[in-house]
Amino acid sequence: IPSFESTYMFKEIMYQPKVVSRIYDLYSQPVQIRKMDLLCSKISKCRRILFLSCGTSYFATLAILSSFEHVLELNGLNCDVYSINASTRVDDIPRIRSSDVCIMVTQSGETADVLKIAKKAVAQGATVAAITNSLFSSATRIAGQMQTFYINAGVEVAVASTKAFSGQILTMMLLLSYLRGGIAEYQNTLSILPDFSVLLTNTLINSADIMQMYAAKISRHPSCLVVGRGKLSSVAYEGALKMKEVSYIHAEGIASGDLKHGTLALVHDDMPVIYLATPLPSKETCGTGSDSLHIGLSQITSRVENRDNILVIATEEFAKKMSSDMNVIIIPSIQSILKEQTKLSYFIEKTDCLQLLMNVVPLQLLSLFSACTRGWNVDKPRNLAKSVTVL
Ligand code: M6R
C-alpha cells in the first residue's frame, strides 16, 4: 500500500495508546478531580443531560449514551440523557431549560452548529460544559475553564478524526465513573488505563496486516455496509463515516436490528459487509451478547453464497463458533483480560466503553488502507475542512 506511514492519519491512529496514557496523567491531577466533582454535583440536581456534538464526536456520545442512562438509573437520579446531533437541530434548536446540563463534545471546540446551540443554552440559564481538544477555543470560552474537560490528545492534523474519538470516549467514561461511584470508582477506572494502553497497542499492531488484505478487497467495490448490534452500532456509524471520508467508498453504518427494515435488500455476494461481533458485558440490556451477535451475523451470511466479502471483527471466543469461510480479525475481550488481572471492580459500563474503543481501531486502519490503496490523500479529503466553523 503506497506511503501510508508518512500520513498524519496513520500517525494519529497509532498515537491512541499514548492518548490513553496522557488522559491517565491529566486526570490524576487534583484540579481535574475537583472539576469532575463539581460537574457531577450539577448533574445530580439537573433534569436532563444534553450532549451537543457533530460527526465523529456525535458517534462518541452515542457510544456512551446508554451507559449514562444506566448509571442515572442505578444512582436513582431523576434525570434523562440525550445526544443531539447539532447539525440536524441547528435550524430548529431544541427546547433547553435552566435545569439542563449541556455538554459540548467537540475536538476543535469551533464547530459552529454546536456553538450555536450552546449559546442558546447559556441564554436559557442552563449549565454548559465542554469536552474538547482545544483549551483556547470558543467552546472553552462558553463553558469556562472549570467546566472544560480537555481530552489531551495532542494536535489532530488529519481531517479524519481518530485519536480525538478515543480521548472523548475516555473522558466521558471518567465522568461517568465519577457519577457512578465518586472518587473511589473514578480512581479505579483510572487505574485500568495503563493496561488498556498496552492492549490498544497490541490491537493496532495485530490488526494492521489483516486490514491491509481486506482493504485490497474492499477498495475494488463502490460501497460497503458496517453493521453493529446495540451499542456496537455507534462504532459501525463511526467506521462507515471514516470509510466515506477518506476512501470515498460509499459506506453505511447500520444497527443490525435495523437491517430487516429495508437495508437487507442491499446484502448480496458483491457487497462487502463488516460485522462487529465483540460481546459486551452489558449484553442483557443491549442485545450484544454472543447469541444475539450470532443471530445478527447469520442474518447476513444466509443471504450470500460467497462469504469472502464479509469481515467479522470478533473476540476469540466468538470466532471459535464461526464458520471458516469468512475473513475474521480477532481483537481482545476487555472483560476477560481485565478480570484476569483482577483490576476490574465490576462496573460493566466502563468495560463496554473500553471494548467499543478497541473495536474502532481496526476500522480506522481499514479506511486508511482503503484510501491509500485507491491513491487518495487521506489527510486532506476532498471538499472537507478540519474545523467546520460555518453554519
Ligand atoms: O471538531 P469537532 O469534533 O466538533 O468536529 C465535528 C465533526 O466535524 C468531525 O468529527 C468530522 O465528522 C470529522 N472530520 C470526522 O472524521
Side-chain angles (χ1 to χ4, degrees), residues 15-28 151-153 170 190 192-198 200-201:
Y15 195 70
Q16 291 174 104
K18 183 76 182 152
V19 173
V20 181
S21 315
R22 289 172 62 131
I23 293 256
Y24 174 83
D25 292 342
L26 178 67
Y27 283 95
S28 301
I151 63 171
N152 205 18
L170 292 169
L190 266 180
I192 294 171
L193 295 186
D195 289 339
F196 179 69
S197 173
V198 176
L200 205 55
T201 306

Side-chain angles (χ1 to χ4, degrees), residues 345-391:
S345 87
Y346 211 68
F347 174 34
I348 55 176
E349 304 301 333
K350 84 179 152 211
T351 328
D352 278 5
C353 293
L354 296 176
Q355 187 69 61
L356 294 176
L357 209 45
M358 192 72 90
N359 292 3
V360 91
V361 160
L363 294 173
Q364 294 170 341
L365 287 173
L366 182 63
S367 57
L368 168 85
F369 294 145
S370 305
C372 291
T373 303
R374 292 178 139 215
W376 303 126
N377 176 349
V378 289
D379 291 332
K380 286 193 187 342
R382 68 183 171 217
N383 307 337
L384 297 176
K386 181 66 186 159
S387 299
V388 187
T389 54
V390 288
L391 291 173

Side-chain angles (χ1 to χ4, degrees), residues 138-214:
S138 305
T140 307
R141 275 194 294 281
I142 292 171
Q145 288 293 340
M146 279 312 277
Q147 286 181 165
T148 293
F149 296 85
Y150 185 40
I151 63 171
N152 205 18
V155 178
E156 197 178 57
V157 179
V159 167
S161 185
T162 53
K163 60 180 182 171
F165 182 81
S166 300
Q168 288 165 340
I169 296 223
L170 292 169
T171 307
M172 287 189 280
M173 180 184 78
L174 288 171
L175 179 64
L176 185 70
S177 301
Y178 202 102
L179 191 63
R180 172 68 185 119
I183 188 137
E185 187 53 61
Y186 175 86
Q187 279 175 336
N188 184 282
T189 304
L190 266 180
S191 72
I192 294 171
L193 295 186
D195 289 339
F196 179 69
S197 173
V198 176
L199 284 178
L200 205 55
T201 306
N202 295 341
T203 304
L204 281 161
I205 293 168
N206 296 338
S207 41
D209 285 351
I210 299 178
M211 286 303 146
Q212 289 198 37
M213 278 188 302
Y214 193 69

Side-chain angles (χ1 to χ4, degrees), residues 53 106 156 208 263 324-325 354:
S53 48
T106 163
E156 197 178 57
T263 309
S324 57
D325 50 359
L354 296 176

Side-chain angles (χ1 to χ4, degrees), residues 54-57 106-109 111 159-161 168 241-242 245 388:
C54 295
T56 289
S57 304
T106 163
Q107 188 282 132
S108 61
T111 299
V159 167
S161 185
Q168 288 165 340
L241 178 63
K242 282 297 87 87
E245 194 174 13
V388 187

